[in-house]
Amino acid sequence: MKASFYVTTPIYYPNDLPHIGHAYTTVLADVLARWHRLKGSNVFFLTGTDEHGLKLQRAAEKKGVKPKEFVDRMVPEFKKYWRLLEISYDRFIRTTDVDHEEVVKKALEKLYSKGLIYRGVYKGWYCSSCEKFYSEDEYEEKEGKKICPIHVKELEWVEEETYFLKLSAYQDQVLKLVRDTDIIHPRGYAREIASKLEKEGLRDLSIARPKDRVYWGVELPFDDRYVVYVWIDALLNYLTGIGYGRDGRFEEYWSVVHHVIGKDILWFHTAIWFAVLLMLDVPPPKKVLVHAFIINRGLKMGKSVGNVVMIDDMFDRYYSADSVRYLLMRLLNLEKDVEFDVELLDNMYNGELADTYGNLVRRVGVLSLKKLKGVVRRRELDEELSRTSREVIGEVLELMDDYKISESLVKTFDLLRATNAYLNKTKPWEVEDPEPSLYNAIEATRIATNLLNPVMPSITKKVADALGFEIVEVDKLKYGGVKEFLVKEAPILFKKVKSRTS
Ligand code: MSP
């Protein structure tokens, strides 16, 4: 039976265009989706937009339009960028989708009928950009003002009648899931949440907003004067996306769900989400895969800081989706923030993509056409290249299953470098019988290209077409597996960028 794989991105706030921070998460999720397709699994990949709440309401008001009109205008922009980056999602969910609003209402009804929701008064300091309340030990103080540590802006005092969700009743169960299972990855993040739970506990959460303050949201099914708190609305998208409550595929995909998120929204996706799922009698996610930030000049990218790098900026410099995707994944670090450093990216682009991969493909292409009229038959296999290929396949399989994408790219490039060195050594341009050398070089190029396919879907397809092979499922990938290559052309894959320092 085919294995299944379900991967999600956070649903992004469409109050602004997505930038490379959002692309970082989305490309990571896409690479996992493509990797699992390449492993022959049934894959479902969900992304989308988080459209309700105060932040969106205010963004729309600022533009002088209704919230729905505003988000309707923004969604095509997100879809455009994801198309540009070749994001292969199966569904783009919007929290304003009818089926999602139904799921939110049904879930809230269930929680209410189980006696898990009660009325009360909430008082606290709120950041509308984070859409969350900040406690005394979380906010910062400057000149007597309470400041959001993430957006560096003043918090607002909110005091209102609301409804609470009894998260506290689930504290012990949640702590066990966080501490004693391997759901949260990498484990440093699990320790962080466990220690927060141990220190502060899991407090009941205000899950309603009075409509006279926040009108833009899903109405509470048991009190029409309120809308549902945007984070509860948003988290439930992961259930809606695969047909919760109405589709047989739900069980299949839910049991293998991987939530890819940035570390800023870890608490919501663990403490709060695990408790909500327990309340709904839905099993916890299989994985919450957390990554750190891309930072610029030491700070998380943000409009107020003025250090945002847009997706267009990346395309202007590195031309194609494949190279942008490669560079983002090459930078990827789950544990540590990485600085956006153009010089470093230029060097990776020129040195790895253009000089190593591009050059190799061009060389084997040109030589095959010139020396063998493009027909390269299988000859004796080179032992060393064959062994290196086998090792690289094995290591990449392990690394990818451990979410070590950057490391797996480095490994694959070791094979490409070895192949370039092999060409230098065997010199097919001057020997009488160049076929053994060219066959082995193309074969190793094929193996590497196949492994690079999830990260660079178009360029690898272009290489496969030019050199005359197919991208195959990874378990069918074997050195010497191709009898004959009919090489059609020798494409130039990457145009070099002028490095700022050169
Ligand atoms: N709408 C919520 C998520 C709800 S999910 C049920 C939200 N949206 S967001 O638009 O603010 O996106 C946050 C996510 O964008 C982060 O978790 C991360 O995945 C990504 N990133 C935004 N900036 C980033 C960086 N500078 N670096 C890396 N990822 C970043 O929160």
Side-chain angles (χ1 to χ4, degrees):
M1 218 184 77
K2 269 192 164 192
S4 301
F5 185 76
Y6 173 32
V7 62
T8 68
T9 72
I11 45 171
Y12 303 104
Y13 293 124
N15 60 316
D16 229 320
L17 298 177
H19 56 64
I20 65 158
H22 306 110
Y24 196 56
T25 313
T26 309
V27 170
L28 165 57
D30 187 61
V31 168
L32 294 177
R34 288 179 186 271
W35 174 252
H36 283 268
R37 286 190 203 112
L38 206 58
K39 284 180 57 156
S41 300
N42 284 323
V43 171
F44 197 87
F45 174 15
L46 183 71
T47 190
T49 38
D50 186 357
E51 304 187 359
H52 291 130
L54 191 57
K55 182 183 180 116
L56 263 300
Q57 179 179 312
R58 283 188 179 155
E61 280 167 357
K62 229 169 146 184
K63 297 258 182 235
V65 291
K66 293 233 160 69
K68 183 65 166 64
E69 205 181 316
F70 177 62
V71 292
D72 281 350
R73 250 191 243 167
M74 291 302 288
V75 164
E77 294 290 329
F78 275 75
K79 290 189 172 166
K80 181 188 92 186
Y81 281 107
W82 298 158
R83 203 177 313 119
L84 203 60
L85 280 166
E86 301 189 26
I87 305 301
S88 60
Y89 58 79
D90 294 293
R91 175 169 175 185
F92 187 102
I93 194 170
R94 302 179 54 178
T95 49
T96 50
D97 286 343
V98 177
D99 63 342
H100 178 66
E101 298 202 351
E102 269 169 23
V103 165
V104 174
K105 286 191 176 159
K106 266 200 199 132
L108 266 293
E109 253 160 29
K110 180 161 179 177
L111 300 176
Y112 192 65
S113 68
K114 280 178 104 178
L116 293 166
I117 293 176
Y118 64 93
R119 227 171 138 63
V121 175
Y122 196 90
K123 295 180 199 166
W125 293 99
Y126 197 75
C127 171
S128 67
S129 293
C130 294
E131 292 279 18
K132 76 172 233 178
F133 281 106
Y134 274 92
S135 64
E136 224 170 278
D137 34 314
E138 288 174 328
Y139 58 63
E140 287 166 6
E141 294 214 56
K142 253 185 229 149
E143 294 155 7
K145 288 179 181 146
K146 323 279 188 249
I147 309 285
C148 164
I150 295 189
H151 295 93
V152 203
K153 66 177 219 192
E154 208 179 326
L155 300 174
E156 302 167 49
W157 178 252
V158 173
E159 185 172 341
E160 64 198 13
E161 286 215 9
T162 181
Y163 286 90
F164 285 90
L165 187 61
K166 274 191 197 160
L167 295 186
S168 55
Y170 290 80
Q171 180 172 324
D172 295 343
Q173 273 170 277
V174 168
L175 181 60
K176 276 205 185 93
L177 288 174
V178 169
R179 207 184 41 200
D180 307 337
T181 70
D182 61 358
I183 298 175
I184 305 174
H185 181 91
R187 296 305 292 158
Y189 295 112
R191 287 192 287 276
E192 197 181 293
I193 295 297
S195 108
K196 190 169 151 116
L197 281 168
E198 279 158 352
K199 253 190 249 147
E200 297 166 24
L202 185 53
R203 296 186 198 133
D204 292 349
L205 180 73
S206 162
I207 52 141
R209 299 292 180 262
K211 276 189 187 163
D212 54 13
R213 194 168 68 83
V214 186
Y215 55 83
W216 179 232
V218 181
E219 202 171 83
L220 261 197
F222 45 84
D223 189 339
D224 65 7
R225 295 168 305 163
Y226 289 87
V227 298
V228 177
Y229 171 39
V230 61
W231 262 101
I232 294 297
D233 172 357
L235 286 164
L236 290 166
N237 94 84
Y238 300 133
L239 302 184
T240 312
I242 46 166
Y244 175 62
R246 52 159 100 183
D247 193 320
R249 287 173 320 162
F250 180 78
E251 309 290 326
E252 172 196 344
Y253 283 122
W254 187 255
S255 62
V256 289
V257 61
H258 287 59
H259 295 312
V260 178
I261 60 163
K263 65 180 183 181
D264 51 337
I265 52 178
L266 180 60
W267 179 256
F268 288 106
H269 280 82
T270 54
I272 294 177
W273 186 221
F274 293 0
V276 170
L277 288 170
L278 283 164
M279 292 174 172
L280 291 173
D281 308 304
V282 175
K286 174 143 169 97
K287 274 281 171 253
V288 177
L289 183 63
V290 191
H291 64 72
F293 297 140
I294 306 193
I295 53 175
N296 196 2
R297 286 175 264 127
L299 295 170
K300 186 180 176 219
M301 290 182 197
K303 241 196 167 171
S304 44
V305 189
N307 62 348
V308 182
V309 180
M310 301 304 287
I311 296 168
D312 287 332
D313 299 334
M314 287 293 276
F315 271 85
D316 287 348
R317 191 149 184 88
Y318 303 110
Y319 315 109
S320 71
D322 296 85
S323 42
V324 174
R325 290 167 61 99
Y326 177 83
L327 293 172
L328 290 177
M329 289 303 97
R330 186 67 176 74
L331 284 185
L332 182 71
N333 193 318
L334 302 184
E335 273 115 346
K336 281 192 227 124
D337 292 347
V338 289
E339 181 69 32
F340 182 83
D341 176 350
V342 180
E343 218 175 284
L344 174 78
L345 293 176
D346 282 356
N347 287 337
M348 284 174 173
Y349 177 88
N350 284 340
E352 296 167 16
L353 291 181
D355 289 344
T356 304
Y357 189 34
N359 207 17
L360 176 63
V361 169
R362 176 85 180 145
R363 280 171 102 191
V364 294
V366 166
L367 287 164
S368 305
L369 290 170
K370 203 164 131 199
K371 297 276 172 185
L372 299 167
K373 297 198 173 65
V375 184
V376 186
R377 288 159 306 160
R378 180 163 58 204
R379 299 285 294 273
E380 56 277 24
L381 303 183
D382 181 78
E383 242 175 65
E384 210 177 311
L385 261 194
S386 162
R387 185 168 18 90
T388 310
S389 297
R390 207 173 337 117
E391 279 167 10
V392 168
I393 294 171
E395 275 165 307
V396 166
L397 273 165
E398 250 175 55
L399 289 167
M400 289 298 287
D401 286 343
D402 206 18
Y403 316 106
K404 295 197 166 114
I405 296 176
S406 182
E407 291 86 335
S408 104
L409 291 175
V410 172
K411 265 281 148 245
T412 309
F413 270 74
D414 284 346
L415 176 59
L416 293 170
R417 271 182 286 269
T419 313
N420 268 318
Y422 170 82
L423 276 181
N424 295 345
K425 192 180 78 186
T426 52
K427 299 188 172 52
W429 53 89
E430 63 179 38
V431 296
E432 211 171 283
D433 178 13
E435 197 167 44
S437 160
L438 284 173
Y439 176 83
N440 281 286
I442 298 182
E443 185 56 356
T445 308
R446 173 181 81 92
I447 302 279
T449 299
N450 208 119
L451 294 173
L452 290 172
N453 173 259
V455 174
M456 297 192 281
S458 285
I459 289 245
T460 50
K461 182 76 180 46
K462 188 169 169 182
V463 173
D465 290 345
L467 300 182
F469 62 84
E470 304 262 323
I471 305 284
V472 297
E473 286 185 8
V474 273
D475 59 347
K476 299 199 178 87
L477 195 58
K478 275 212 183 69
Y479 193 87
V482 171
K483 254 202 207 134
E484 181 182 70
F485 294 102
L486 298 176
V487 176
K488 285 196 224 53
E489 49 175 339
I492 294 171
L493 301 181
F494 304 97
K495 189 162 96 195
K496 276 204 179 187
V497 296
K498 271 219 170 66
S499 162
R500 286 186 187 161
T501 48
S502 63

